[in-house]
């Protein structure tokens, strides 16, 4: 479950209901994924795949989300045509080289993928190609179907006791390594980022350089993404350094091997064979090097089947569709390519704090807006205390604050804010936010293991600081300070916050007014001035000074009456409360 600070916020009275989000799925997606999207209340369009670039440009402005596989190209032009409506692009698979991630990030569009959904399928296909190459399975099958019995010409090799080289020890590379170990192979690995401890636990041997690994292996498989640093990773020099009996495999991305060099290596006998599932152009263009490789007699070629199992298609589809649903609801994705990685343990620890910070932001806007505290143009400090201060990845908390601050003053209720575009939204609204980590506890009472302070000050203004503090207990969230008043209440539901003089009869009078208007009180708390609050500062508080009684004793008894209520809160009711004797200000807050 995603943190509620990035989940939908109940619409405030001034929010305009947004239309039902629309999702474009221009490529085949498993029925389970489509059903998940539709059951979540979204409109899902599935035009015949794949769309032409012109068609996609024309269609995309009407959609909030786009889900693609590998054929649809999500270019900077497509993202520009989408305007501000598009919130998420999802790749039902691992690689995102068909998506302009930088352009998406610049526009605040979340890009998600499914890094784990097809791990087993890709690893199994690698092993299938390895065995097919070793035992000439495909040539034998073709010969049998053509009526030829070529038993003597198709002698293969055993893979037990042979050496497999694995370049890239990620999820798929690790799975392949373990499968190969199970088949009795020795496994060597080249990955400059691999942990020696993890490699040791898996029973594989690390090599510091690719050039050291290549001459040792009988089979080579590459499991790296296609990046500038990995394009043409294996060229003529590398292929010439291998055994003439070696065979190479690629179930990751076309272009990691230099295709021209690989074709020469096969033609001239530098290596014995290849198993290829991916190519630089898919399908290979007739007459191209990729096409010649696919048709080569020493190559076992398949049409990008690495993730093409029923189970993998269901896994990646459900994975990315679940993330799309969360994002469209304001939730936190689990595999955002252009957002910081949220580890499971961090996710669990941050979850209640994300909810707390969002509520603090929304409380700030609704309580202080009429009191000189408009959001735009103000500077905010978000201060983390205690154990929370030790968290390095607080990006979700930053996004939660922005979402909370704008939720009651935006048409979408803040549901368009996510961890990718939060900085952009804040900048557009003139909101400056500084994050601070106070690891020594600061002024936070020791009873709170972790706490958060939200502080706001208008630029160039002396005084007028506005503060909200909160903490988490278990999975419950509490506000412990609102402005100059110490409190302890749960920020949820409909709240009436009355700034008043704490005098006999106040509670009864307020209760009578609410009862007359048919409004029930769910809970009530009186928050007193914080100990040591400066009386002069109290008397100079917000623009209600004209209603303050010129009496130090009365000003010193200021308090907040915080009421959780249920019922129709009308302007007439708010006006009647505001005119009552000793009531300085009334705020209606919906959380």
């Amino acid at each position: 479950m995603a943190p509620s600070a990035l989940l939908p916020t109940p619409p405030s009275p001034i929010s305009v209901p947004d239309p039902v989000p629309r999702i474009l799925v221009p490529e085949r997606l498993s029925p389970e994924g489509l059903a998940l999207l539709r059951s979540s209340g979204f409109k899902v369009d599935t035009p015949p795949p794949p769309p032409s670039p012109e068609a996609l440009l024309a269609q995309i402005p009407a959609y909030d989300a786009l889900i693609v596989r590998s054929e649809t190209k999500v270019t900077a032009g497509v993202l520009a045509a989408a305007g501000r409506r598009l919130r998420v692009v999802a790749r039902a698979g691992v690689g995102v080289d068909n998506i302009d991630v930088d352009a998406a990030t610049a526009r605040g569009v979340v890009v998600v993928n499914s890094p784990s959904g097809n791990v087993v399928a890709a690893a199994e296909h690698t092993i299938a190609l390895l065995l097919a190459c070793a035992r000439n399975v495909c040539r034998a099958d073709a010969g049998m179907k053509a009526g030829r019995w070529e038993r003597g010409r198709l002698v293969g090799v055993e893979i037990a006791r042979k050496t497999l080289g694995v370049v890239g020890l990620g999820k798929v590379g690790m799975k392949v390594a373990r499968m190969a170990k199970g088949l009795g192979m020795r496994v060597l690995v080249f990955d400059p980022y691999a942990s020696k401890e993890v490699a040791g636990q898996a029973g594989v041997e690390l090599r510091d350089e690719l050039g050291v690994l290549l001459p040792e292996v009988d089979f080579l498989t590459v499991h790296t993404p296609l990046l500038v640093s990995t394009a043409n990773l294996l060229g003529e020099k590398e292929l010439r350094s291998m055994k003439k009996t070696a065979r190479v495999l690629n179930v990751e991305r076309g272009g990691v091997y230099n295709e021209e060099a690989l074709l020469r290596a096969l033609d001239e006998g530098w290596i014995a064979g290849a198993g290829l599932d991916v190519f630089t152009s898919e399908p290979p263009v007739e007459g191209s090097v990729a096409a010649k490789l696919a048709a080569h007699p020493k190559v076992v070629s398949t049409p990008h089947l690495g993730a093409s199992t029923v189970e993998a298609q269901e896994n990646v589809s459900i994975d990315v569709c679940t993330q799309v649903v969360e994002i469209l609801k304001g939730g936190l994705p689990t595999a955002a390519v252009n957002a910081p990685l949220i580890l499971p343990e961090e996710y669990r620890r941050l979850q209640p704090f994300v909810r707390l910070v969002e509520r603090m932001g929304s409380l700030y806007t609704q309580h202080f807006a009429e009191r000189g505290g408009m959001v735009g143009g103000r500077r905010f400090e978000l201060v983390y205390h205690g154990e929370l201060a030790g968290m390095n990845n607080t990006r979700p908390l930053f996004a939660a604050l922005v979402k909370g601050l704008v939720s009651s003053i935006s048409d979408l209720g803040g549901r368009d804010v996510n961890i990718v575009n939060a900085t952009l939204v804040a900048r557009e609204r003139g909101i400056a936010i500084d994050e601070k980590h106070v690891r020594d506890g600061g002024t936070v009472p020791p009873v709170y293991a972790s706490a958060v302070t939200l502080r706001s000050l208008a630029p160039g203004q002396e005084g007028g600081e506005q503060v909200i503090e909160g903490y988490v207990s278990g999975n419950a969230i509490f506000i412990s300070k609102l402005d100059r008043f110490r409190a302890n209440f749960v920020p949820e539901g409909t709240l009436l916050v009355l700034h008043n003089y704490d005098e006999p009869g106040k509670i009864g009078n307020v209760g009578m007014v609410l009862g007359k208007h048919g409004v029930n009180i769910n809970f009530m708390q009186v928050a007193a001035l914080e100990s040591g609050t400066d009386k002069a500062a109290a008397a100079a508080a917000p623009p209600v000074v004209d209603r303050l009684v010129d009496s130090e004793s009365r000003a010193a008894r200021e308090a907040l009456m915080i009421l959780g209520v249920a019922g129709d809160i009308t302007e007439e009711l708010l006006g009647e409360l505001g005119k009552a004797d000793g009531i300085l200000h009334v705020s209606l807050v919906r959380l």
Side-chain angles (χ1 to χ4, degrees), residues 130-136 154-164 180 183-186 217-219 243 245-247:
L130 187 154
L131 289 167
C133 288
R135 299 305 299 269
N136 298 308
L154 298 173
V155 177
V157 297
E158 295 179 3
I159 64 170
R161 298 176 300 280
K162 296 295 193 300
T163 300
L164 172 66
L183 292 171
M185 302 187 77
R186 176 190 179 208
V217 303
D218 300 293
F219 294 86
K243 298 176 183 178
T245 55
R247 293 163 174 85

Side-chain angles (χ1 to χ4, degrees), residues 227-402:
L227 307 169
V228 174
S229 59
T230 60
N232 297 313
L233 181 66
L234 290 115
E236 179 175 342
K237 175 185 174 182
E238 289 74 23
L239 292 168
R240 282 187 180 276
S241 71
M242 299 181 71
K243 298 176 183 178
K244 292 185 182 298
T245 55
R247 293 163 174 85
V248 299
L249 311 166
N250 190 7
V251 184
E252 192 66 39
R253 279 289 177 270
V256 176
Y257 291 91
N258 182 293
E259 289 184 335
E260 292 185 356
L262 180 56
L263 183 60
R264 287 186 61 200
L266 294 167
D267 285 340
E268 299 179 16
W270 309 346
I271 60 174
L276 304 177
D277 184 50
V278 290
F279 303 87
T280 52
S281 60
E282 296 182 357
V285 177
E286 185 177 355
S288 67
V289 174
K292 293 176 182 177
L293 281 171
H296 201 284
K298 293 182 180 179
V299 174
V300 177
S301 57
T302 53
H304 205 147
L305 299 179
S308 294
T309 65
V310 172
E311 295 84 354
Q313 293 304 301
E314 289 180 357
N315 290 342
V316 299
S317 175
I318 291 173
D319 187 3
V320 298
C321 288
T322 298
Q323 293 187 75
V324 167
V325 168
E326 290 297 329
I327 292 167
L328 291 182
K329 288 182 176 181
L332 180 67
T334 56
V337 176
N338 54 349
L341 176 67
I342 304 297
L343 298 175
E345 183 58 33
E346 290 180 321
Y347 186 91
R348 286 190 291 271
R349 289 176 62 189
L350 282 178
Q351 193 171 11
F353 287 100
V354 173
R355 191 167 75 252
L356 171 65
V357 171
E358 182 196 346
R359 297 288 175 84
M360 291 171 71
S362 186
L363 175 60
Y364 174 86
T365 300
Q366 296 182 68
H367 178 61
F368 289 114
E370 297 177 7
R371 299 159 63 85
M374 294 303 291
V375 174
R378 292 193 70 90
R379 178 171 58 84
F380 293 88
E381 286 183 355
L382 192 56
V383 187
Y384 310 121
H385 306 269
E387 293 177 3
L388 187 62
M391 297 287 289
N392 293 322
N393 185 4
T394 55
R395 183 88 169 267
L397 299 179
F398 180 97
L401 176 59
V402 176

